[in-house]
Amino acid sequence: MGLAKFISVGLLSGIVVFCSWQAAYAAVGQGVEAFQRGKYEEALKHLEPAAKAGDAEALYVLGQMYGSGRGVKKDEKKAAEFFMKAADLGNPGAQQSLGSALMLGEGIEQDMVAALKWFILSARAGNKEAANYASKVGRFLTRDMQREARKMAIDWKKAHDEKFPPNN
């Protein structure tokens, strides 16, 4: 294959990937907007395929839908699973929601140390409400438990940043 053809194929592949990403991003936006308007059937139509493709925002909103029973049968376990996937991808809202589920034992086994970990991560991403939860939960934990949660948050952040390098 000649250099010109190689460059053309590479450029075309890049355009196809970019257009696919742009379409998926638009679908998530449409799904979120439909969710906010209370058009849950429409939201599901856009969010489910994006969630299957691993979109953190789509996973988070589906978690909200299942956790509240809006547009779907309420299922706290399924909500927690969606929150876990989105939180692992770095979505601060999902990190807070997962922390809440862990704190209350909703759909997932109660684990206050893990809850604090997720509140810390969400707070470090700028979520003020998660910072408040972290402060409140921390008051009920021993210093060793707090230290463990902070270490878990640091370890998670390091692993996440290696997998998804921040855009600096």
Side-chain angles (χ1 to χ4, degrees):
M1 174 183 326
L3 181 60
K5 188 173 182 178
F6 177 77
I7 291 172
S8 295
V9 169
L11 185 58
L12 183 59
S13 297
I15 290 170
V16 168
V17 167
F18 177 75
C19 289
S20 297
W21 173 82
Q22 219 174 13
Y25 184 76
V28 171
Q30 291 170 338
V32 170
E33 187 178 305
F35 171 72
Q36 291 169 340
R37 289 191 332 261
K39 306 284 186 187
Y40 303 123
E41 191 173 310
E42 181 184 341
L44 284 171
K45 181 180 83 169
H46 294 292
L47 295 172
E48 285 179 329
K52 285 182 179 139
D55 183 89
E57 186 69 13
L59 290 161
Y60 172 51
V61 175
L62 285 173
Q64 290 177 309
M65 291 177 76
Y66 280 97
S68 64
R70 287 183 277 177
V72 295
K73 184 179 177 196
K74 185 172 180 165
D75 185 336
E76 291 177 346
K77 185 174 189 250
K78 201 167 192 176
E81 290 169 1
F82 280 120
F83 290 146
M84 177 66 80
K85 289 176 185 175
D88 271 333
L89 290 169
N91 182 289
Q95 291 170 337
Q96 178 185 331
S97 293
L98 178 59
S100 294
L102 286 159
M103 178 178 69
L104 300 170
E106 291 181 342
I108 193 168
E109 187 176 334
Q110 187 176 38
D111 184 338
M112 298 297 279
V113 173
L116 181 56
K117 165 195 156 181
W118 290 110
F119 289 142
I120 289 168
L121 288 164
S122 183
R124 287 185 181 164
N127 185 333
K128 291 181 186 344
E129 191 174 344
N132 290 334
Y133 281 120
S135 175
K136 290 175 183 174
V137 168
R139 291 183 198 140
F140 295 101
L141 302 178
T142 66
R143 290 199 190 279
D144 285 342
M145 294 167 85
Q146 292 174 28
R147 214 177 344 266
E148 181 184 352
R150 283 192 299 274
K151 182 180 181 330
M152 289 167 57
I154 290 167
D155 292 346
W156 179 91
K157 181 75 170 127
K158 182 180 176 189
H160 179 268
D161 287 351
E162 286 174 4
K163 189 172 182 180
F164 306 101
N167 297 334
N168 293 344

